[in-house]
Amino acid sequence: MQMFGQISLNRALVLAAAIAVVFTFSSCGKQSSQQAQQAYQAQGTKIESFINPHDSRADSLVLAAYREADYQHLLAVIDSLSAAGELNELRAEGYRAILYAEMQDTKHAIASLRRAIEVKKPSGKDYFLMVYLKTLYAELQQLQGNSEGALRTALALAEQMRNDGYEDHEVCHRLYSVLGELQLNLNHPDEAADYFEHVYAILKTSIRNDSTGSHLMEAVETLNNVTSTYLSGRQWDEAELWLNRLDSVFTLYQTTSYAADYPAYIDGYRAYVDMSHATIAEQRGKKDEAQKYYDDFLTTDYSKTDDGRLLGCKYLMLSQRYAEAADNFTVADRYMHDYEYESNLQGIGNVLIPKLRANYYAGRKDSALRVAMQIAEQYDTALVRQRRDASAEMATIYDVEGKERMIAEREAKILQQRLIGVTILLVALVIFFAIYTWVRNRMTKMKAKQDRMEGELSAAREIQMSMVPSSFPRYEGLDMYAKMTPAKEVGGDLYGYQLQGDKLYFCLGDVSGKGVPASLFMAQVTRLFRTLATQNLMPADICSRINDAMSGEDNEKCMFVTFFLGLLDLRTGHLDFCNGGHNPPVIDIGNSRCDFLKVKHNVPIGPMPGMMFEGEEISSIKGRPLLIYTDGLNEAENKERQLFGDDRILEILRKIDAHDARQLIESITAEVEKHRDGAEPNDDLTMMVISLK
């Protein structure tokens, strides 16, 4: 997939196929060479996973040639080492297959794979290379439409892994992902769900043991594949479950040092996640939520490319914004030319037919007629080209074993299926026009249902707001105040306190995601804080116990909360605290020394059990007012999507009157509203001020 540069074989194929199926268009965007190189480095390589340059001179030479990213030179190196007997048959053919696939030369990739997997009884690292190659073979069979062959290959490999005792090995998560997708395509949803859950169990184990971020990256790619599979089948409940898992893991991945140097890779995935959320929300009639995700999508660099504009068309068509979709489709001809989609059945089905619909419903009848004529002119040529390409590809594959007669029969069957599919697509377009009125009536009913849901959410907001304290402790010398403002009907921010004699426990947190799931997660964390604070534990111990309680099997969506928890001795001013991945508080409000508190960044609470949180302390905060807040403050946006920012926070707090905690929070709130200048809140905003004299 060109959007992410020269990435590893499975990742390129899976991500390209996922976005093509879900959003109708193949995302093959072009980037600068610097972005492509960043993405390539971020993804890592599959060949490197199986090479130790200290094993042999041959491995060292292959690895050096691979890192130059010159595929033709590397193929020559592999051929030379194989001919000299320095590289065994499995590795030679396996490396060739991976490289051919990265060059998108599927027919030669499959030919090399067929030769590689005939090697008997590999051992050591070669065993896991064989597992990878067989999984890859099943994926390529599936991409070619040979679901039967892919299922046979994958099932046989799964049985082998069970017999060898590697059923739960991390190398299997891609295999089970392929099996889940195949079972879903065969209309076996229960079997598919079992495979996908097995995938998730393996991923959670690998994430828990990840110290670099590489396993988190693999988890993001695999969860993306499962999400795309359910989205393409229009199974919205399952798609939303897996999308939330993807969203949580992707958010966690972005915090790692491994991901920090690769903005192009992060930007592309963020665009895909936002568009997936927008599609589901629009399908459920949640138009405001869908628009919010679409607006987030538009902030990505990828959305401004030709590919990104076509990716956004799916949402625009669903939301009946046909004129905007038609405007985006103006890049379609250039896109088809750049990626050789002209006179191609895939290009006609994925690009031209949606472009025809957009222009027709936008009332641009002349443009719609021109696109219809373009389809008619390219259709015959596309059929001939499809027949030629299919014949050439199948001939290459089966010539390996001398099966020329079998290829003709298989090619004819595949071609017939594809022609039937295109015919059905054209008929479906005609039917679509006929049922347009029925769809509009259905949307009216969905609007009424949405109104009822909004009433229920309003009631939920009242309940949630009653869970956070509205009054604060009276203690000589203590001035404390907090305020929470959800961006939606219900939110995921929280705060609380517990007074134990002369000891004041206090906390503030921000749950991942928004809406009802986040509010339920918030309620559980708040309850645990209140319970554990009565046991006179240190802040780090409380964070560890809350983390263990929230990261169990019930946390299927892998939700988490960034959390700041303090224990203040009201007599001495001594502060013990623990920061769980939260924004650093601001200390010394009201004077020139005001700055962000230096904190140790523990991981957020929730996604990984068994984490040990590290606490810190300050000898005294008397006369040093403290502000704890969620990122709804520093990330507040105006209509131009400019952030409020850390520098502005410090500038305000160094000059502000810090004598009254409530007045201080109200003043900051007024500054935020002034910055927004009428823009809708983009996130929940919660602030707490503690001042001790």
Side-chain angles (χ1 to χ4, degrees):
M1 182 175 175
Q2 206 149 341
M3 184 189 93
F4 295 113
Q6 298 174 346
I7 62 178
S8 67
L9 157 68
N10 175 55
R11 295 166 180 167
L13 295 177
V14 166
L15 197 52
I19 298 181
V21 171
V22 178
F23 296 108
T24 312
F25 311 104
S26 300
S27 290
C28 302
K30 291 185 175 180
Q31 296 174 283
S32 68
S33 59
Q34 182 180 4
Q35 288 176 314
Q37 183 64 21
Q38 283 183 331
Y40 169 74
Q41 292 170 340
Q43 287 285 51
T45 65
K46 285 301 178 184
I47 284 182
E48 285 183 310
S49 301
F50 301 100
I51 290 182
N52 181 348
H54 303 294
D55 285 350
S56 67
R57 186 179 78 94
D59 284 330
S60 179
L61 290 172
V62 169
L63 185 58
Y66 189 87
R67 288 173 174 169
E68 293 176 2
D70 185 342
Y71 292 153
Q72 296 300 331
H73 171 64
L74 178 53
L75 286 171
V77 170
I78 293 172
D79 291 342
S80 175
L81 293 172
S82 177
E86 294 188 48
L87 203 60
N88 65 39
E89 183 180 5
L90 172 63
R91 287 182 172 262
E93 294 295 350
Y95 296 165
R96 289 189 188 104
I98 294 172
L99 293 175
Y100 282 132
E102 288 191 9
M103 293 187 291
Q104 300 183 16
D105 187 347
T106 306
K107 59 185 180 181
H108 284 102
I110 288 184
S112 290
L113 284 169
R114 291 172 65 87
R115 287 190 289 266
I117 63 180
E118 291 176 353
V119 175
K120 306 297 183 183
K121 297 182 178 179
S123 60
K125 269 200 166 184
D126 284 354
Y127 178 90
F128 294 106
L129 174 59
M130 176 67 81
V131 174
Y132 171 72
L133 294 175
K134 287 184 177 180
T135 303
L136 173 58
Y137 184 45
E139 291 170 344
L140 293 181
Q141 287 178 299
Q142 182 183 11
L143 285 174
Q144 288 193 316
N146 183 11
S147 297
E148 180 183 352
L151 187 59
R152 280 200 306 269
T153 301
L155 286 174
L157 180 56
E159 182 178 3
Q160 176 188 339
M161 299 302 287
R162 282 194 299 271
N163 293 338
D164 293 342
Y166 292 115
E167 182 179 8
D168 296 321
H169 194 280
E170 63 183 45
V171 76
C172 290
H173 71 82
R174 289 177 48 253
L175 170 63
Y176 297 138
S177 178
V178 172
L179 281 167
E181 184 174 350
L182 288 167
Q183 292 289 6
L184 201 60
N185 292 339
L186 293 172
N187 198 27
H188 298 154
D190 293 339
E191 290 86 343
D194 289 342
Y195 280 119
F196 287 147
E197 288 299 329
H198 201 161
V199 169
Y200 190 50
I202 293 174
L203 290 177
K204 287 198 291 187
T205 300
S206 65
I207 290 173
R208 189 177 301 121
N209 298 327
D210 188 10
S211 60
T212 65
S214 60
H215 290 299
L216 276 167
M217 179 190 68
E218 292 180 359
V220 167
E221 294 162 1
T222 303
L223 291 173
N224 163 70
N225 185 33
V226 178
T227 302
S228 301
T229 300
Y230 279 119
L231 281 171
S232 65
R234 303 178 69 83
Q235 299 186 38
W236 307 118
D237 291 339
E238 292 81 1
E240 187 170 28
L241 167 65
W242 285 91
L243 180 57
N244 286 329
R245 290 173 171 177
L246 168 62
D247 206 353
S248 294
V249 174
F250 180 54
T251 300
L252 195 59
Y253 169 61
Q254 291 181 84
T255 66
T256 65
S257 59
Y258 190 86
D261 296 331
Y262 310 110
Y265 178 71
I266 296 296
D267 182 76
Y269 257 111
R270 178 187 165 198
Y272 169 69
V273 170
D274 286 338
M275 284 306 302
S276 298
H277 277 300
T279 300
I280 292 176
E282 185 65 31
Q283 288 285 356
R284 296 188 183 282
K286 301 178 181 179
K287 293 188 174 297
D288 291 341
E289 183 177 339
Q291 180 63 45
K292 172 62 172 60
Y293 282 117
Y294 182 66
D295 290 342
D296 290 343
F297 163 76
L298 292 179
T299 65
T300 64
D301 293 335
Y302 179 63
S303 70
K304 300 172 182 61
T305 66
D306 288 353
D307 307 58
R309 293 180 66 182
L310 293 179
L311 178 62
C313 283
K314 177 66 175 178
Y315 165 74
L316 294 173
M317 294 291 287
L318 285 174
S319 58
Q320 301 181 14
R321 292 157 62 174
Y322 301 119
E324 294 177 60
D327 290 341
N328 277 3
F329 273 119
T330 57
V331 304
D333 289 342
R334 182 170 62 209
Y335 171 86
M336 293 183 66
H337 174 75
D338 288 346
Y339 297 103
E340 300 181 358
Y341 267 11
E342 296 169 314
S343 300
N344 181 292
L345 290 181
Q346 187 176 2
I348 292 172
N350 288 352
V351 182
L352 292 185
I353 289 178
K355 180 180 179 181
L356 171 63
R357 292 173 178 163
N359 281 279
Y360 179 84
Y361 286 123
R364 303 177 184 179
K365 302 299 173 63
D366 291 342
S367 296
L369 180 59
R370 284 195 297 271
V371 179
M373 292 302 299
Q374 186 179 2
I375 293 172
E377 291 169 359
Q378 293 189 15
Y379 186 68
D380 289 341
T381 304
L383 288 180
V384 174
R385 178 179 177 179
Q386 186 78 16
R387 184 181 298 111
R388 180 196 64 204
D389 291 347
S391 298
E393 183 174 305
M394 295 301 294
T396 301
I397 296 171
Y398 283 94
D399 186 59
V400 176
E401 296 184 359
K403 296 184 178 180
E404 293 84 356
R405 187 179 302 276
M406 290 179 61
I407 183 179
E409 298 174 357
R410 181 66 63 88
E411 183 272 340
K413 182 177 180 180
I414 293 175
L415 181 59
Q416 181 182 20
Q417 292 174 344
R418 290 174 177 170
L419 292 178
I420 291 173
V422 173
T423 302
I424 292 174
L425 181 61
L426 294 175
V427 172
L429 179 60
V430 176
I431 296 175
F432 177 84
F433 295 149
I435 64 174
Y436 177 64
T437 302
W438 178 83
V439 172
R440 292 189 61 182
N441 292 336
R442 182 174 178 84
M443 292 300 295
T444 301
K445 294 179 180 178
M446 291 179 65
K447 178 62 169 59
K449 182 178 180 181
Q450 180 183 0
D451 291 341
R452 290 195 301 272
M453 291 178 62
E454 288 176 352
E456 295 172 358
L457 286 173
S458 296
R461 175 177 181 142
E462 294 180 7
I463 295 173
Q464 182 187 17
M465 294 301 292
S466 68
M467 297 179 63
V468 294
S470 57
S471 60
F472 300 92
R474 295 181 179 274
Y475 193 97
E476 183 178 357
L478 174 67
D479 185 14
M480 177 180 181
Y481 186 74
K483 181 179 180 181
M484 180 173 72
T485 308
K488 296 181 179 294
E489 285 80 2
V490 289
D493 281 3
L494 63 96
Y495 70 85
Y497 73 86
Q498 191 75 23
L499 186 61
Q500 298 287 111
D502 294 323
K503 306 289 187 180
L504 174 66
Y505 287 89
F506 61 91
C507 70
L508 187 143
D510 185 357
V511 178
S512 62
K514 299 178 179 66
V516 173
S519 69
L520 294 175
F521 197 88
M522 162 265 193
Q524 294 183 63
V525 173
T526 302
R527 176 181 56 80
L528 287 168
F529 162 75
R530 291 174 179 170
T531 301
L532 294 171
T534 62
Q535 300 177 18
N536 297 319
L537 299 172
M538 293 299 288
D541 294 332
I542 294 177
C543 287
S544 297
R545 296 194 184 191
I546 295 177
N547 180 69
D548 289 340
M550 299 304 297
S551 59
E553 296 180 356
D554 292 337
N555 190 7
E556 293 185 355
K557 294 185 178 181
C558 203
M559 298 184 71
F560 60 90
V561 57
T562 62
F563 201 66
F564 185 92
L565 195 156
L567 170 58
L568 176 61
D569 189 325
L570 297 174
R571 296 171 302 168
T572 66
H574 185 275
L575 176 66
D576 292 287
F577 65 91
C578 180
N579 184 62
H582 198 73
N583 301 66
V586 180
I587 194 167
D588 292 321
I589 299 170
N591 60 61
S592 60
R593 300 191 310 276
C594 176
D595 205 346
F596 293 105
L597 184 64
K598 306 301 182 184
V599 298
K600 296 179 180 179
H601 290 282
N602 296 292
V603 299
I605 290 174
M608 293 179 288
M611 302 299 296
M612 297 302 296
F613 287 78
E614 187 174 354
E616 301 173 74
E617 63 179 354
I618 298 176
S619 59
S620 176
I621 65 166
K622 283 189 174 182
R624 307 179 69 188
L626 189 70
L627 169 68
I628 310 102
Y629 60 93
T630 62
D631 57 14
L633 175 59
N634 58 312
E635 294 182 6
E637 296 178 348
N638 59 17
K639 294 179 180 179
E640 287 73 38
R641 308 192 75 84
Q642 296 172 330
L643 299 181
F644 192 78
D646 293 338
D647 292 340
R648 186 173 310 195
I649 293 175
L650 292 180
E651 179 183 357
I652 293 171
L653 294 181
R654 284 169 179 167
K655 301 176 181 179
I656 202 166
D657 184 358
H659 294 297
D660 183 271
R662 180 168 186 166
Q663 183 180 356
L664 194 153
I665 286 181
E666 296 298 343
S667 298
I668 299 174
T669 302
E671 291 289 342
V672 171
E673 292 300 324
K674 180 180 177 181
H675 171 73
R676 287 198 183 113
D677 192 24
E680 289 294 322
N682 58 299
D683 200 356
D684 305 331
L685 172 58
T686 302
M687 293 181 283
M688 175 185 289
V689 169
I690 296 178
S691 177
L692 185 64
K693 296 179 181 179

